[in-house]
Amino acid sequence: MRTLFHFPLSPASRTVRLVLAEKRLPFEAIIERAWEHRPEFLAMNPAGDVPVLVEDNGLIVPDSYVICEYLEEAYSDTPLLGRTLAERVEVRRVMAWFDTLFAREVSGRFIDERVMKRLSGRGNPDGTALREAYAAMRPLMKYVNDLAENRNWLAGNFLSLADFTAAGHLSCLDFIGDIDWSKVPAVRDWYARMKSRPCFRPLLADRVSGITPPEYYTNLDF
């Protein structure tokens, strides 16, 4: 069976889980603690990161961006990249914005400080790093709110990989309670639509030892 090696609070893993489910592609999800540097996992992906997809035929596809592009090519019945060149450029641009700038300044910092440090035995959260993440979050979330306010979906008029990439990052932050949704009402409404999709249900059921998500995490309408 198709297998996905992932971690529940990895934005990249969540993106791929959502895309697989949206395309109705069944898979077995196996939690991989990448910080343990398991030799068998490193043999599949020398970069040592999740997610890694292994197809029925043994094909190994690492990295969320590579996996999403592969799924678009291999399973095109549910297109999520756009039809015109301009649409595809915009979808990829928004994906890259989340996976680079937003991950570096916001989601990656919060997840590392609040989750990964504890799980990997690297000590307590750094207060300075968290304050810097909160400061960086304000203008970046304002930009996301502008996108949600002026478009049907984040990259345009159609649901796309950009929405699933954004949902991967924001759902992790929602799980650890680091988003003030009242300050970004358009993003909140967009996220409520995303949470209501069937593909989102497994993410809402995620649990991580030692971390209790806020009560509204599983509430579809906040």
Side-chain angles (χ1 to χ4, degrees):
M1 184 178 183
R2 181 183 295 110
T3 304
L4 181 71
F5 293 86
H6 78 108
F7 187 70
L9 288 183
S10 156
S13 295
R14 285 186 161 217
T15 296
V16 173
R17 290 168 65 195
L18 288 169
V19 172
L20 283 167
E22 184 71 17
K23 288 178 174 287
R24 297 179 176 82
L25 299 173
F27 65 97
E28 179 185 5
I30 297 178
I31 293 177
E32 180 66 36
R33 296 168 178 82
W35 62 89
E36 295 179 352
H37 307 296
R38 203 166 51 87
E40 296 84 355
F41 182 69
L42 290 173
M44 290 190 293
N45 182 19
D49 298 329
V50 289
V52 173
L53 180 70
V54 181
E55 282 281 36
D56 295 345
N57 61 6
L59 176 64
I60 297 172
V61 191
D63 185 85
S64 62
Y65 187 84
V66 177
I67 295 171
C68 287
E69 290 276 340
Y70 163 75
L71 293 174
E72 277 296 289
E73 292 182 7
Y75 307 100
S76 57
D77 290 348
T78 305
L80 297 171
L81 193 54
R83 300 194 179 279
T84 70
L85 287 175
E87 287 174 347
R88 291 177 176 227
V89 166
E90 181 61 5
V91 170
R92 290 183 172 113
R93 183 194 70 79
V94 176
M95 292 172 68
W97 185 89
F98 275 99
D99 283 340
T100 54
L101 179 61
F102 194 84
R104 183 178 67 245
E105 299 295 329
V106 181
S107 57
R109 285 182 172 183
F110 279 119
I111 294 166
D112 187 59
E113 294 296 332
R114 295 202 187 280
V115 180
M116 301 311 298
K117 275 190 172 181
R118 180 179 62 81
L119 293 178
S120 60
R122 290 188 287 117
N124 297 318
D126 182 324
T128 299
L130 290 174
R131 285 191 294 273
E132 290 174 350
Y134 277 120
M137 189 181 197
R138 286 190 288 271
L140 297 186
M141 286 298 290
K142 181 181 182 304
Y143 172 68
V144 181
N145 198 71
D146 290 343
L147 290 180
E149 198 168 46
N150 292 291
R151 296 173 169 182
N152 290 335
W153 298 96
L154 295 187
N157 290 323
F158 57 96
L159 178 70
S160 75
L161 291 175
D163 297 286
F164 293 110
T165 301
H169 287 272
L170 296 182
S171 64
C172 285
L173 296 180
D174 192 39
F175 189 98
I176 57 179
D178 274 315
I179 299 180
D180 183 351
W181 294 106
S182 67
K183 295 186 182 301
V184 283
V187 181
R188 180 193 61 211
D189 293 345
W190 163 85
Y191 187 58
R193 286 190 288 153
M194 293 298 293
K195 285 172 74 173
S196 298
R197 301 188 71 81
C199 67
F200 221 100
R201 290 171 189 160
L203 272 65
L204 298 179
D206 277 347
R207 292 298 179 267
V208 176
S209 177
I211 302 173
T212 302
E215 290 185 5
Y216 59 77
Y217 175 73
T218 56
N219 188 344
L220 299 185
D221 59 2
F222 294 89

